[in-house]
Amino acid sequence: MGINLNPFTWWNGASWGTILGLRGKRQVGEDSLGNTYWEGGRDTAGNPRRWVIYSGANDASRVPPEWFSWLHHQVDGTPDQNLPPPRQWQKPAVPNLTGTALAYRPQGALEKGGHRASATGDYEAWSPDA
């Protein structure tokens, strides 16, 4: 997006109003996707306000689980301070792929040709006389 569209395209990153609203706030971290996380001020319950500035499309599924827990006050400190390092068997977080070419499509889906496997012999249709 060009700089001229930034005030009008809130769905493709932070608008000018959001950027101006960050004055006096503290950036607490950045994730592997380039999203930045901020803290500052208090909400009506007295908790610190926390939010994310997306790098790219504004899609909540692009927030990794460890930062999700920080955003929702499940942990007090940032993930690198409070959480153990990721285990070797853990996979990296993946954004929601619905609507993309990489989305899951079951065997009988129209996008995969629409052909399902034939029913096996263990299926018996319901009959009102039975």
Side-chain angles (χ1 to χ4, degrees):
M1 284 284 131
I3 194 165
N4 294 335
L5 292 177
N6 186 271
F8 310 108
T9 58
W10 56 266
W11 55 88
N12 282 328
S15 66
W16 288 353
T18 304
I19 292 169
L20 291 175
L22 294 177
R23 289 179 295 156
K25 309 303 189 263
R26 181 173 66 96
Q27 182 178 349
V28 295
E30 184 174 339
D31 64 19
S32 59
L33 299 173
N35 301 327
T36 57
Y37 297 88
W38 297 78
E39 186 173 50
R42 299 271 175 193
D43 64 9
T44 56
N47 298 320
R49 292 201 48 148
R50 298 174 174 174
W51 60 97
V52 58
I53 303 298
Y54 296 101
S55 171
N58 291 342
D59 181 9
S61 71
R62 295 186 68 231
V63 174
E66 60 273 10
W67 282 103
F68 178 90
S69 61
W70 179 82
L71 281 171
H72 293 271
H73 300 280
Q74 295 171 348
V75 295
D76 289 330
T78 58
D80 56 345
Q81 296 170 345
N82 282 14
L83 299 177
R87 309 263 193 226
Q88 179 180 351
W89 46 264
Q90 286 178 312
K91 293 183 178 180
V94 177
N96 186 352
L97 300 175
T98 302
T100 69
L102 299 175
Y104 170 74
R105 291 179 175 82
Q107 193 61 36
L110 293 176
E111 293 87 354
K112 281 197 160 186
H115 300 291
R116 296 187 312 181
S118 300
T120 60
D122 63 346
Y123 175 77
E124 182 179 331
W126 178 79
S127 171
D129 298 329

